[in-house]
């Protein structure tokens, strides 16, 4: 399989950056037309950014390089099965295919357990551990009405 070189690059990134103290053992690359357009590694602890997972970092770089928020012609290679946050970002970026190496169970065995998040996301908002209360909906709907009537909006 010729795509193995891209997976190997994601794995190398995960190892090299983790050994350099840049974050956890995760790496990812976004590929478009056979070329790497985004590289990412876990920067959560080095950037003090809980959203700086390898996949997110790679997606951000690919979007900057390609000057688009839609990566529908790209493929993502990641050293581990994406967490719920990264999975959502992959869907939002419209990436049609993902290759991954380690599973989420492998990650759980070394302390990166996302099972709680998978369960929480599936629950109704009122039953989640995170306290969430709705307020000022009528006021906030004004922004939605403006969006809806904006002839210059860029749908995504």
């Amino acid at each position: 399989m010729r795509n193995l070189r891209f997976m190997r690059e994601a794995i190398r990134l995960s190892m090299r950056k983790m050994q350099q103290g840049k974050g956890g053992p995760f790496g990812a690359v976004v590929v478009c037309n056979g070329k790497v357009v985004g590289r990412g590694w876990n920067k959560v602890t080095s950037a003090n950014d809980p959203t700086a997972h390898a996949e997110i970092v790679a997606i951000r770089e690919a979007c900057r390089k390609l000057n688009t928020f839609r990566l529908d012609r790209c493929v993502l290679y990641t050293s581990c099965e994406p967490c719920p946050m990264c999975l959502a970002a992959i869907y939002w970026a419209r990436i049609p295919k993902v290759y991954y190496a380690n599973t989420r169970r492998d990650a759980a065995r070394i302390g990166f357990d996302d099972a709680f998040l998978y369960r929480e996301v599936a629950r109704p908002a009122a039953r989640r551990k995170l306290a969430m209360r709705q307020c000022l909906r009528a006021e906030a709907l004004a922004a939605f009405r403006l969006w809806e009537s904006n002839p210059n909006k860029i749908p995504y």
Side-chain angles (χ1 to χ4, degrees):
M1 183 169 145
R2 93 184 169 105
N3 299 331
L4 293 179
R5 71 183 173 111
F6 297 123
M7 181 59 76
R8 286 189 176 107
E9 183 165 352
I11 294 167
R12 274 193 303 273
L13 270 172
S14 75
M15 293 175 67
R16 186 170 65 244
K17 297 302 183 175
M18 183 261 312
Q19 289 171 326
Q20 293 172 354
K22 304 289 184 185
F26 305 96
V29 295
V30 175
V31 176
C32 186
N33 297 323
K35 294 183 178 155
V36 175
V37 294
R39 286 179 178 80
W41 53 91
N42 183 285
K43 296 181 178 183
V44 170
T45 57
S46 61
N48 291 320
D49 180 352
T51 69
H53 290 200
E55 297 91 338
I56 302 285
V57 173
I59 288 169
R60 288 174 180 163
E61 182 177 289
C63 288
R64 274 192 304 274
K65 279 189 180 173
L66 297 175
N67 195 34
T68 184
F69 58 86
R70 293 183 66 102
L71 300 177
D72 52 356
R73 297 177 299 116
C74 299
V75 177
L76 176 73
Y77 296 84
T78 179
S79 66
C80 189
E81 185 177 356
C83 75
M85 176 183 69
C86 293
L87 189 58
I90 291 162
Y91 275 106
W92 278 113
R94 310 300 197 277
I95 296 172
K97 186 177 266 188
V98 175
Y99 292 95
Y100 66 92
N102 294 318
T103 67
R104 66 190 205 197
R105 285 166 193 77
D106 296 329
R109 279 193 282 279
I110 63 163
F112 296 92
D113 192 354
D114 297 331
F116 168 76
L117 294 173
Y118 280 100
R119 285 191 308 274
E120 283 291 295
V121 168
R123 289 188 172 131
R127 294 194 56 225
R128 293 183 186 144
K129 302 268 185 231
L130 176 65
M132 296 178 70
R133 301 292 180 258
Q134 187 178 22
C135 59
L136 300 179
R137 179 174 179 256
E139 290 180 36
L141 281 172
F144 281 15
R145 285 191 293 279
L146 283 172
W147 171 260
E148 204 171 31
S149 64
N150 181 352
N152 299 316
K153 67 183 168 210
I154 300 172
Y156 58 97

